[in-house]
Amino acid sequence: MNEVAQLDLYGRTGPIDAHVARTAEGMAMNQVRVGLLVAAALLAMPLTAAAQQQGQPKEINLDEEGAAPAEAPTEGEGAGTGEGEGEGEIPGGEGEGLGDICKIDPSACPSINMDEAAKRDINAEMYAVQQIYALRRFRFEITPYFGITMNDQFVAHPAPGLGLNFYITNVLAVGVNGNFYAGLNSPSNFNFQTSRAARVGVPITEYAWNANANFSYVPAYGKFAGFGDFIFHYDFYVLGGVGAIATRPIAVVDPDNRTFEFKPRLSFHVGGGLRIFFNRWFAVVAELSDYIFFDELENPGIATGVDANNNPRAQDPTTWTAPETSFTNNVQAQVGFSVFLPFSWEYRLPK
């Protein structure tokens, strides 16, 4: 064995075995490394604890490049964490929600058989508008009224009248109306003053009666508020028809020889009005009507001479009227009220 003189770990000198010396040297080096690692670990633990306080969330700076975005909650997730989240979804399924109602209040538990309800016949004629306040279909309307002349300055033709209508639908009706003028015609003061000032007799006529068959149509109806919060229902209507009117001239030019009889003449009737309902069977009516006809007027000239029988021609009735008829409009304003029969009815569709 080779012997060498060398200081040992304790500073002593002397010959030692070389293998023992190398083993002792390696063990000493390992102990030094372990000691350094333990010292480093003890120093690192307090530094790590001081870098982050316990219990505080880690701060994330979104401005830093590469920072991970916060994960947005998806629809339906986190039910109950905020208003609107999870809308339309019932935790545990649809059936569980209805079951919860039954658990809380058995009397309120839904008992509808959805399969049977789905098989029911559905009437597709459903209306989203308000029902008509006063139905007219298959009802009679009785309208007494009073009319006055609007366009004749020389003679007035006031008259009471009566209208009868039967409504085939809610908007279309057939009916009749009539006016009674006899005994109520009166020449105006304007006619008297004109005749006296100008010495000119203006041919005027008087009426006896008037009757017409009409069609009525209601194009619009609605309501309005009045007298505070009272709601009035109304409708507009137009009408047209044909009838007859009995008229005769008033002898002005030669009253000593001329007398006239009433004769019926073909007339046409057009008009329109407003009807305001106070209830479902009573309404007030304002109407403007024009009775159009070809009238026969007094002849402004007086025939002279005698006829073949030696009678004065001025007494011949064929010379009393003008050779041509006159196109006449008898525009009349009418005010009255309407009564609908029967008084009540049932709507075809429930309200």
Side-chain angles (χ1 to χ4, degrees), residues 262-283:
F262 286 104
K263 294 181 181 179
R265 312 179 194 283
L266 178 66
S267 67
F268 299 93
H269 180 201
V270 293
L274 172 67
R275 191 163 28 220
I276 300 177
F277 290 88
F278 283 84
N279 56 35
R280 298 181 188 272
W281 55 266
F282 182 82

Side-chain angles (χ1 to χ4, degrees), residues 24-152:
E25 185 179 3
M27 292 177 60
M29 293 299 293
N30 289 334
Q31 290 178 354
V32 172
R33 293 191 185 97
V34 171
L36 292 175
L37 290 175
V38 171
L42 293 175
L43 292 175
M45 288 180 63
L47 293 176
T48 303
Q52 180 178 345
Q53 296 182 2
Q54 189 176 1
Q56 291 186 354
K58 183 180 179 181
E59 184 177 358
I60 300 175
N61 188 356
L62 297 178
D63 295 334
E64 292 181 356
E65 186 177 1
E71 184 179 0
T74 58
E75 185 178 0
E77 292 181 355
T81 58
E83 185 177 0
E85 291 184 356
E87 184 178 1
E89 296 183 4
I90 300 175
E94 182 178 359
E96 185 178 348
L98 296 176
D100 292 341
I101 296 176
C102 300
K103 293 177 182 177
I104 297 172
D105 185 4
S107 61
C109 183
S111 60
I112 300 174
N113 188 333
M114 300 305 292
D115 295 333
E116 294 297 330
K119 295 178 182 178
R120 292 183 305 174
D121 295 332
I122 298 176
N123 188 353
E125 294 183 358
M126 300 297 291
Y127 297 93
V129 297
Q130 187 176 4
Q131 292 175 322
I132 299 175
Y133 176 74
L135 288 181
R136 306 173 191 81
R137 184 171 179 263
F138 295 161
R139 298 180 76 189
F140 289 96
E141 179 189 15
I142 303 174
T143 307
Y145 61 85
F146 190 84
I148 57 174
T149 305
M150 297 292 293
N151 64 326
D152 194 338

